[in-house]
Amino acid sequence: MPNRLIASALLAAGLVAAMPAMAADRVNEPDPYLIRNVRVFDGQKLLQNRSVLVRNGIIESMEYQGSVPANTVVIEGHGQTLIPGLIDAHVHSYRHLSLPLLFGVTSELDMFTAVPLMQEMNARMQRNENSDRPDIFSAGTLATAPGGHGTEYGLPVPTLTKPEEAQRWVDARIAEGSHFIKIVMEPGWPGHQMPSLDKSTVKALIEAAHKRSKLAVVHISNFADARTALELGADGLVHLFTGESISDAELQAFVKLAKERKAFIIPTFSVMESIAGVKEEDVLSDKAMTALLTKDQLEPLKTSYGKEAKPARLAAPNAVVSALKKAGVPILAGTDAGNSGTQYGVSLHHELLSLTKAGLTPAEALTAATTAPARAFKLPNRGRIGKGFKADMVLVEGDPTRDILATRRIIEVWKDGAPVSPQRKLQQERVAQELAAPKDAPLALPADGRISLFSRDKLASPFGAGWMPSNDAFLGGKSSVQLDYQDDVMHAVQVKASVQAGFPFPWAGIAFMPGVQPMAAANLSAARSLRFRVKGDGQRYQVAIMSTGGSIPVSQSFAADGEWREVNLPLDSFKGVDASAITMIGFNAGPKTGEYQFQLADVRLITAE
């Protein structure tokens, strides 16, 4: 699903920061422990009054009845339920790599990340040195067309255009360490079309993956591509599609096709809801959950791709999931975490709730997050509570097969047999300290609010890193921009922007960086609105504001006509922007390609209501 504009810069920066391998000290084998008299959801069914013995990170018995072995830690499980470690079947792992464990997510299926990071993940798992993170099985690089979805994140992406390239492309990904092959069918959306792979190339990629005994999964965003991907032999779809309705004929044909092809479906309600402007309010209002999220980690949950809530757009995926469930088509729980409106680990609990609202029972939703993804992706020794399986487990208060919200009442998480409670406690303390820390005082703004001090000598500002050109070139795009001082009357800067194809969301313009260095945060909460004067060539432009923790800029459009006009935008109308931590205010041309020219003057942050 789409991320936009400078989000790609943040993604690339996060990947660079995450790439150096941190060799973990090998954890000493923990003492054996016995979880006694506990309900067990084994991944498919609920078992009453069991005693589970764990030794050396492996479940030795799930119905232990003898005396307690020496040096064994006993955990009384009365009133509690032991479930397998949760598996998020769709993420993009590039930051907060340990966070999912705090919420009981012990394995993740990554659908696109940097190859060096994937290789570091693989090496950690091979060395059995991954008890502080979920195990991550990744597609690595995705298969897409030149300029297509997936090329916008500032990462090198080897693209392809014809079937003859498919086998070589697949073999290169396997050599890099990809666990499966992800293929993109994404034509874009109204107002923003994107290049996409043609059917013959998609078919060749699927066949090339199968020739090497690898799964081939497909990204889609509309009904037609979903059906085509299944007809071409895809093993699974990693998204469903939004829509206010779907006809009975289309629904029946799609479900019949999925069942006949023995495909699995990962709906990703969490990101579809974000596209529909629906936020995870159940998570945001749960103090026990938010107590494990720093401010930076919480911010993405406060944003969404859709600028206004349109829950009706979820009618089609809800109907499809309900019909898939009745037909017995495997449904896997995945969030697309890494996108706006989602967060690693915590969003999987929201996804489980969304699946139950779509018609799955709580037990079926749990299977969708445990046994189903382990089986579909052939993940070794996980997704079940059973003898010989990895001791990736979650102990919760209550019975989540009756009340899916019980998955949130976590007592303990184990990863490779090691308890995660020390990490959970440390994170809770960190969040509490962050909340208790005195906030930086709002920046003292100039009396007149003016932040543009443009002259022939310099495009100056009263604070921050100041004004600078901004375009997509540093992410591999081809757009360019020229800034020139315009006149001594308006003290304006002239922005000549050439927005070119070559980046999925091309832009060029001018940006104000209010922090001490580019993209550093500044507390601008004293301001109530952004006011500026503009004139230009009659085209429309964008004001884009970013704040710490946000994964995409929040934009509003304005017109630049042949006469000077004043534009006044309340800061609180930029929904999801934290005014106390603004990192960038941009004035951009794009994403429509072409030549642009506008003049900007008298930019002010107004403190009065």
Side-chain angles (χ1 to χ4, degrees):
M1 292 289 173
N3 276 331
R4 296 191 177 117
L5 298 179
I6 303 175
S8 47
L10 296 184
L11 176 56
L15 286 167
V16 169
M19 284 178 191
M22 297 182 295
D25 293 330
R26 187 173 180 82
V27 179
N28 292 329
E29 296 290 1
D31 290 333
Y33 51 90
L34 182 68
I35 307 171
R36 194 161 58 184
N37 301 321
V38 67
R39 280 186 299 261
V40 173
F41 176 75
D42 70 354
Q44 293 181 301
K45 59 184 180 299
L46 188 68
L47 306 170
Q48 298 288 344
N49 197 31
R50 298 298 174 110
S51 292
V52 179
L53 179 64
V54 173
R55 193 189 306 274
N56 296 332
I58 301 296
I59 299 172
E60 187 172 292
S61 173
M62 58 178 297
E63 44 191 351
Y64 188 81
Q65 297 179 347
S67 58
V68 177
N71 302 319
T72 297
V73 177
V74 176
I75 300 167
E76 294 296 342
H78 181 71
Q80 301 163 6
T81 305
L82 188 68
I83 65 176
L86 300 174
I87 302 172
D88 192 331
H90 189 142
V91 301
H92 296 281
S93 292
Y94 64 94
R95 64 190 305 219
H96 306 315
L97 297 180
S98 296
L99 182 63
L101 274 190
L102 308 184
F103 297 97
V105 176
T106 57
S107 296
E108 293 177 311
L109 290 159
D110 173 82
M111 295 293 163
F112 174 39
T113 195
V115 171
L117 183 54
M118 173 186 68
Q119 291 171 340
E120 189 230 344
M121 296 171 185
N122 290 346
R124 285 173 60 101
M125 291 190 293
Q126 289 168 1
R127 297 193 305 264
N128 294 318
E129 294 176 353
N130 203 48
S131 62
D132 61 335
R133 297 182 191 174
D135 291 341
I136 300 177
F137 301 87
S138 179
T141 299
L142 41 68
T144 191
H149 180 54
T151 63
E152 64 263 45
Y153 304 123
L155 300 173
V157 176
T159 59
L160 67 167
T161 59
K162 52 189 177 181
E164 293 79 10
E165 300 170 322
Q167 192 66 63
R168 183 170 57 199
W169 191 96
V170 166
D171 290 347
R173 304 292 76 74
I174 295 171
E176 289 171 346
S178 295
H179 294 269
F180 53 92
I181 301 300
K182 181 187 174 183
I183 303 163
V184 173
M185 297 182 73
E186 177 56 76
W189 48 92
H192 188 82
Q193 302 304 306
M194 304 177 75
S196 187
L197 297 171
D198 60 30
K199 293 180 183 180
S200 60
T201 305
V202 171
K203 186 174 188 294
L205 283 163
I206 293 170
E207 292 174 349
H210 291 168
K211 187 175 181 179
R212 301 292 187 246
S213 300
K214 295 292 184 181
L215 292 178
V217 299
V218 181
H219 162 111
I220 56 88
S221 62
N222 59 66
F223 172 78
D225 283 344
R227 179 162 184 166
T228 297
L230 294 179
E231 290 171 342
L232 295 177
D235 296 292
L237 303 181
V238 299
H239 293 294
L240 275 179
F241 41 85
T242 59
E244 295 187 4
S245 64
I246 182 170
S247 71
D248 288 342
E250 288 179 328
L251 180 60
Q252 292 173 14
F254 178 75
V255 172
K256 182 175 183 289
L257 179 62
K259 188 174 180 64
E260 287 176 349
R261 298 305 172 96
K262 298 181 180 179
F264 56 82
I265 309 293
I266 310 173
T268 61
F269 275 108
S270 296
V271 81
M272 286 194 295
E273 290 169 13
S274 177
I275 291 169
V278 178
K279 298 178 183 177
E280 297 183 8
E281 298 293 352
D282 57 301
V283 171
L284 291 169
S285 63
D286 189 330
K287 293 182 179 179
M289 303 291 270
T290 58
L292 288 164
L293 296 171
T294 65
K295 182 178 180 180
D296 179 56
Q297 293 163 348
L298 192 59
E299 282 303 314
L301 290 171
K302 297 179 180 178
T303 66
S304 61
Y305 285 119
K307 293 186 177 181
E308 58 181 286
K310 296 181 178 180
R313 294 187 65 183
L314 301 169
N318 274 289
V320 173
V321 168
S322 177
L324 289 170
K325 173 253 175 120
K326 292 175 182 176
V329 174
I331 297 169
L332 281 54
T335 62
D336 208 358
N339 278 279
S340 288
T342 70
Q343 187 52 275
Y344 303 103
V346 69
S347 285
L348 189 57
H349 295 274
H350 174 78
E351 188 74 22
L352 293 175
L353 178 62
S354 294
L355 288 172
T356 62
K357 290 180 177 180
L360 274 66
T361 67
E364 289 168 339
L366 285 173
T367 296
T370 54
T371 302
R375 180 182 294 134
F377 282 84
K378 301 178 175 62
L379 304 181
N381 302 321
R382 72 198 68 223
R384 295 284 302 274
I385 302 290
K387 183 177 180 179
F389 281 77
K390 274 165 53 79
D392 291 356
M393 308 181 300
V394 187
L395 184 64
V396 301
E397 187 69 43
D399 182 358
T401 67
R402 294 178 176 271
D403 175 14
I404 198 61
L405 297 181
T407 62
R408 309 175 185 206
R409 299 193 286 272
I410 294 174
I411 298 168
E412 183 60 276
V413 179
W414 290 273
K415 173 64 168 58
D416 294 328
V420 178
S421 49
Q423 292 170 250
R424 285 172 55 86
K425 182 179 179 182
L426 188 64
Q427 178 79 345
Q428 288 170 336
E429 292 172 351
R430 178 205 278 175
V431 173
Q433 290 171 1
E434 184 182 68
L435 292 173
K439 297 183 183 298
D440 292 338
L443 198 64
L445 299 174
D448 62 0
R450 191 190 304 271
I451 60 174
S452 60
L453 305 179
F454 301 154
S455 69
R456 293 187 181 277
D457 296 326
K458 187 177 182 180
L459 301 180
S461 62
F463 60 87
W467 295 88
M468 57 192 66
S470 171
N471 59 55
D472 56 35
F474 75 101
L475 293 170
K478 299 178 181 179
S479 301
S480 60
V481 63
Q482 178 182 336
L483 306 181
D484 295 298
Y485 182 71
Q486 183 62 24
D487 65 60
D488 292 322
V489 176
M490 292 301 297
H491 302 290
V493 62
Q494 180 171 266
V495 181
K496 292 182 178 179
S498 179
V499 179
Q500 301 295 324
F503 181 76
F505 299 94
W507 87 92
I510 184 171
F512 174 62
M513 303 291 179
V516 294
Q517 59 188 16
M519 296 307 291
N523 188 338
L524 302 184
S525 59
R528 294 292 176 266
S529 64
L530 174 69
R531 183 184 300 172
F532 57 94
R533 294 181 182 275
V534 66
K535 78 171 184 176
D537 55 10
Q539 300 189 75
R540 294 200 69 81
Y541 296 86
Q542 304 286 328
V543 174
I545 301 181
M546 289 197 71
S547 60
T548 300
S551 61
I552 61 172
V554 179
S555 300
Q556 294 196 44
S557 67
F558 64 91
D561 300 320
E563 300 294 330
W564 284 105
R565 62 188 295 263
E566 184 176 270
V567 179
N568 187 60
L569 300 173
L571 285 184
D572 62 8
S573 67
F574 290 82
K575 301 299 183 184
V577 168
D578 180 356
S580 69
I582 289 179
T583 57
M584 182 277 298
I585 302 174
F587 300 81
N588 298 323
K592 182 181 177 181
T593 59
E595 303 300 313
Y596 295 81
Q597 183 173 307
F598 70 96
Q599 295 176 42
L600 180 70
D602 195 23
V603 184
R604 304 184 187 221
L605 290 169
I606 305 300
T607 58
E609 294 289 349

